[in-house]
Amino acid sequence: MKKLLIYIFLPLLILGSCTKLDQEFYSQVTPETFFKSEKDILAALNRPFTHARWYVGEDRWNLQEHTADNFAITTKGPHWYNGGENERYHYHTWTPDDGWIWGSWSGTLMGIALALDARSDLEKLDYTKFALTAEDQQAHLNQLNTLIAFFYMRGLDFFGGLPIFNSLEGENLPRNTDQETFAHIEQLLKTAIEKLPKKEDADERAVGELTQAAAAAMLAELYFNAEVYVGRPMFQECQQLSQDIIDGKYGPYELDAVWYGPHSFRNDRSREVIWSIPSEFNKLQYDWFYSSFYHYNSREYFGQDMGANNGAHLTPSRRPDSTLYQNEWKLGSPFEKFSNGDLRKSPYRYLGGGNYEGMFLIGAQRKPDGGVIRGGEEYKDRPLSFRDQVGRFSEVGPGKKYSSITQLPSKMSEGEENTGVRLVKVPIPTLADNTLRWGADNPVIRLTEIYYMLAECKWRRGDVTGAAELINTVRRRNFVNGADPNPVQPATFDKYRFIDEWSIEFLGEGRRRTDLLRWNMFTTENWWDHKATASEHLKRFPVPTRAISGNNNLQQNPGY
């Protein structure tokens, strides 16, 4: 059995990884004897993509969003304290023993190993024996190379340099440097761009494959964040790649006319999506967030039958007395960063036939037929209404802990069952249309990101007017008849407006920490119940204790 595979996988299996490995690896089974048909080839190719489906959510999403300014998991009475772990992420006091960090380290290396194993098998095959071509083989191998680069880039973002391995032989490898890891990713992507197929038809349905545009977008992202990763600004390189993608050099893509296009039940037809991970009800469904985001009784709001745990929500825009946070800090307050009139800012409603409106659960919660939804804890048997605030409002009144709302503290320990606005980025149908449930694919890369990267590169290089035009091009689709009441104005387009625009467009898409790092705001800015640490070492997570205990060649990141 391959030594490195054992080294990476065995701890995961012992610790109960949520990714099931249904393949057994025996040295005596060779690709030439195992693969019998094109179906076997595609099964091997798709296995690491199945891991990627899991990887882009859960622990990785948590590290990106719950350490930043837009999301929190407050303690709600007896729930969600979790030994203080949620607060440690929010306050930037995490440790090498915390679970999301281990899950992200091990999940990254596992993804690389799975893709390498598939590549090793497929590159040995004579594709002509399966009625396939050498071009098909190159496309498959370079999809895997692109996926390997994707995992490495996420790992570089989280931890810095990683062990670089090109086969599954060997064990206890040391970490390579940040620059070596960066160069490895860069070379994988440059090679893949030349050999991957290019999307030819703008209306071609996305099925999860990686194309030239996806590899080019990843390379642009690598350059976009190069100053954080290796201390070398590469915005000019990112700008050229981004412009080429928008100009169609790597295939025909265009912005959707409506805001929900890249997120809807039919987003496999979106011209905006560059790479998505397919989802289908009762198969590999994109649903991991549901249990954490929504209230126990949110199933009644959606007209569904799914339970939830009532954990995550947006950080508050308002104090307990309902006034807006305006002068204390410039980050956070994500709900109120949306302009009034923004079509996304209204409550989510499923309209039938795969159509819906709005993007949030806020205010009084009612069933699709208008019936009142009631709470089950602090508001048991009383109407449930989500607040864009954090505070123990149920403890205010005569004979209670607080005599008035003005006395209420607002912090991570003070949540209730109705605390916080809930995001509905992925639409949910009623049971009447349950065949659509989890029908929305997970858009990992979409053209809007390329527009925003190009805009930021222009902004940083002095073309503020050009940057504003790109952002406003996207913003217009979020308002009736394109009537944006608050377009970006070049004269006032500062760094805080830019980071707000990233927040508004990509809220909940698992990238916020990276954006704050690029703007040097992650450790230097305050937001709700979070004080700036000004600690450089917190820009990276520690190598997990469990990883170092299994490999004494691994060096810990400075500061931990």
Side-chain angles (χ1 to χ4, degrees), residues 239 451 454-473 476 487-494 498:
Q239 180 170 335
Y451 268 73
L454 179 58
E456 187 174 321
C457 290
K458 285 177 176 286
W459 188 95
R460 289 176 179 273
R461 303 184 73 212
D463 184 5
V464 178
T465 299
E469 289 174 354
L470 286 163
I471 300 298
N472 288 334
T473 296
R476 279 191 286 272
V488 175
Q489 303 290 347
T492 56
F493 195 9
D494 65 4
F498 218 131

Side-chain angles (χ1 to χ4, degrees), residues 262-462:
H263 307 290
S264 71
F265 297 107
R266 304 179 183 91
N267 66 346
D268 59 336
R269 298 177 174 87
S270 170
R271 294 183 175 189
E272 180 174 321
V273 172
I274 293 175
W275 180 38
S276 64
I277 296 180
S279 176
E280 188 174 352
F281 186 32
N282 284 336
K283 293 186 180 179
L284 294 175
Q285 54 196 37
Y286 173 31
D287 67 348
W288 66 268
F289 52 85
Y290 184 93
S291 62
S292 176
F293 279 23
Y294 303 125
H295 187 274
Y296 322 113
N297 294 336
S298 287
R299 63 183 182 275
E300 298 179 41
Y301 186 95
F302 293 123
Q304 270 290 349
D305 60 1
M306 299 173 286
N309 299 324
N310 198 30
H313 52 81
L314 302 189
T315 54
S317 304
R318 297 179 181 272
R319 304 177 185 88
D321 67 5
S322 296
T323 57
L324 289 169
Y325 290 117
Q326 290 180 314
N327 301 318
E328 294 90 336
W329 48 77
K330 296 193 176 187
L331 299 187
S333 301
F335 182 72
E336 287 298 336
K337 292 290 172 65
F338 287 81
S339 298
N340 291 333
D342 191 318
L343 296 168
R344 297 167 294 182
K345 196 176 183 181
S346 58
Y348 173 82
R349 297 289 181 192
Y350 182 68
L351 305 175
N355 300 307
Y356 64 97
E357 63 184 15
M359 207 169 71
F360 298 99
L361 303 188
I362 186 170
Q365 299 296 283
R366 294 187 175 274
K367 303 174 186 179
D369 64 6
V372 173
I373 299 173
R374 301 183 185 279
E377 298 198 343
E378 291 94 347
Y379 298 92
K380 182 175 176 59
D381 299 327
R382 288 187 284 167
L384 179 66
S385 182
F386 289 131
R387 298 172 176 265
D388 190 14
Q389 300 159 283
V390 174
R392 298 285 298 172
F393 293 90
S394 62
E395 297 181 355
V396 176
K400 294 186 178 181
K401 186 174 181 179
Y402 304 102
S403 60
S404 72
I405 285 176
T406 58
Q407 296 178 329
L408 281 180
S410 184
K411 55 185 180 179
M412 285 288 288
S413 61
E414 301 300 309
E416 296 185 311
E417 66 173 311
N418 67 345
T419 290
V421 178
R422 314 304 169 92
L423 176 67
V424 189
K425 200 99 185 208
V426 181
I428 299 170
T430 60
L431 283 170
D433 282 349
N434 215 34
T435 55
L436 293 174
R437 188 159 118 190
W438 314 128
D441 295 345
N442 186 352
V444 184
I445 304 172
R446 53 192 181 95
L447 189 64
T448 315
E449 179 182 355
I450 311 304
Y451 268 73
Y452 276 50
M453 286 199 296
L454 179 58
E456 187 174 321
C457 290
K458 285 177 176 286
W459 188 95
R460 289 176 179 273
R461 303 184 73 212

Side-chain angles (χ1 to χ4, degrees), residues 68-107:
D69 60 325
N70 284 340
F71 285 86
I73 302 176
T74 52
T75 300
K76 301 172 183 65
H79 305 296
W80 286 105
Y81 179 66
N82 287 9
E85 187 172 17
N86 296 323
E87 293 187 4
R88 288 196 295 277
Y89 290 115
H90 186 82
Y91 298 139
H92 292 188
T93 58
W94 51 74
T95 76
D97 297 314
D98 282 324
W100 296 345
I101 293 171
W102 164 246
S104 296
W105 173 273
S106 56

